[in-house]
Amino acid sequence: MKTYITLLIITISISLQAQKINQKKVHCVEAKIGLPEYPIDKTTLPEIISSFGNNYEQVPNRYFINGKVKEGYEKNPPLLEIKYKTLGVSFYYFGGDSTQIIKAVRLSKPFKVKTKTNIILGKSKLGDVLKLYDNNTKISISATDNDHTVANINRYNMTSTGISFSSKMANHSKDNFPYKYEELENLIIDEIYISNINYLNRILLD
């Protein structure tokens, strides 16, 4: 009985932590800031866990192995991710940084998000984003394998825009790109990524 009560208390405690985040609310995010209540470059990992709870996954960094940076990537500190899969939110911070300052945030469904420019996650299209930028902004395509083909906007200029948008391309492989640009413009945005540093392009988006 004591064990059951202890587990119940722990469960309630975690639930109360998670309740600080209103999952029904549409959260307005900003480029180079992220969630205004938890701005990147200012909010710490403990503050995130205090608000979002302990139900997260620590995602290993592929350039940080057994406590050491992979050969060839010594100039880049390891970027670590905690992923709230059920919420649709990931936060990133540099390994070895004692401050544990959050450097980036990735948002996906079911998290309800819109930008200050009224781009809505899960509803707006990549074409809607293009209208916000100059004519030099294009949709790029990345494919790590046949199961992971993604259309992106702002992937390579994060330091200037501070925000990128992407859409997974179902039914397309790296050997079968759609060449009709209007197809890409009609893709629904399923991920918004916010940061200030180009380093993240290499680590997270290649």
Side-chain angles (χ1 to χ4, degrees):
M1 178 63 72
K2 289 183 178 180
T3 302
Y4 173 78
I5 292 174
T6 301
L7 290 174
L8 181 61
I9 291 173
I10 293 173
T11 302
I12 292 173
S13 175
I14 293 174
S15 298
L16 287 174
Q17 285 183 319
Q19 285 175 3
K20 293 182 182 180
I21 301 302
N22 186 348
Q23 298 181 46
K24 295 182 180 180
K25 172 186 174 182
V26 177
H27 298 268
C28 186
V29 296
E30 300 180 40
K32 298 189 177 185
I33 294 176
L35 295 161
E37 308 94 319
Y38 309 96
I40 58 175
D41 295 325
K42 293 182 180 180
T43 306
T44 65
L45 179 61
E47 289 172 330
I48 292 297
I49 294 175
S50 175
S51 292
F52 285 77
N54 296 313
N55 187 26
Y56 62 84
E57 173 188 356
Q58 179 76 65
V59 180
N61 181 281
R62 56 180 165 163
Y63 298 106
F64 191 61
I65 303 173
N66 297 325
K68 296 183 179 180
V69 179
K70 184 178 178 181
E71 185 177 355
Y73 293 87
E74 293 84 0
K75 293 182 180 180
N76 296 325
L79 190 69
L80 307 180
E81 174 187 359
I82 63 166
K83 183 176 184 178
Y84 291 92
K85 187 174 182 179
T86 58
L87 294 178
V89 185
S90 283
F91 296 94
Y92 300 85
Y93 63 101
F94 286 131
D97 178 8
S98 60
T99 66
Q100 295 186 312
I101 294 291
I102 298 301
K103 306 302 293 184
V105 58
R106 189 184 295 272
L107 306 155
S108 60
K109 294 176 66 177
F111 207 68
K112 296 182 178 181
V113 177
K114 72 174 182 179
T115 67
K116 290 191 73 174
T117 52
N118 208 36
I119 297 299
I120 301 173
L121 180 69
K123 291 185 178 181
S124 298
K125 301 176 181 179
L126 291 179
D128 297 326
V129 176
L130 290 179
K131 296 174 183 177
L132 302 175
Y133 295 93
D134 58 45
N135 293 330
N136 293 324
T137 302
K138 302 294 183 183
I139 299 174
S140 62
I141 299 173
S142 61
T144 53
D145 53 53
N146 282 339
D147 296 322
H148 190 71
T149 306
V150 181
N152 313 278
I153 294 179
N154 294 344
R155 175 185 176 186
Y156 297 107
N157 54 345
M158 288 294 296
T159 52
S160 59
T161 64
I163 188 168
S164 69
F165 305 86
S166 63
S167 178
K168 294 181 180 65
M169 299 170 61
N171 304 319
H172 292 288
S173 71
K174 63 180 181 180
D175 301 318
N176 181 30
F177 288 148
Y179 290 101
K180 293 182 179 180
Y181 205 71
E182 57 268 23
E183 287 187 46
L184 301 180
E185 291 182 347
N186 287 325
L187 291 173
I188 301 296
I189 296 166
D190 56 27
E191 197 168 81
I192 297 175
Y193 175 72
I194 300 172
S195 185
N196 294 321
I197 47 180
N198 278 330
Y199 168 87
L200 305 187
N201 295 327
R202 181 179 182 183
I203 300 301
L204 294 176
L205 299 173
D206 60 6

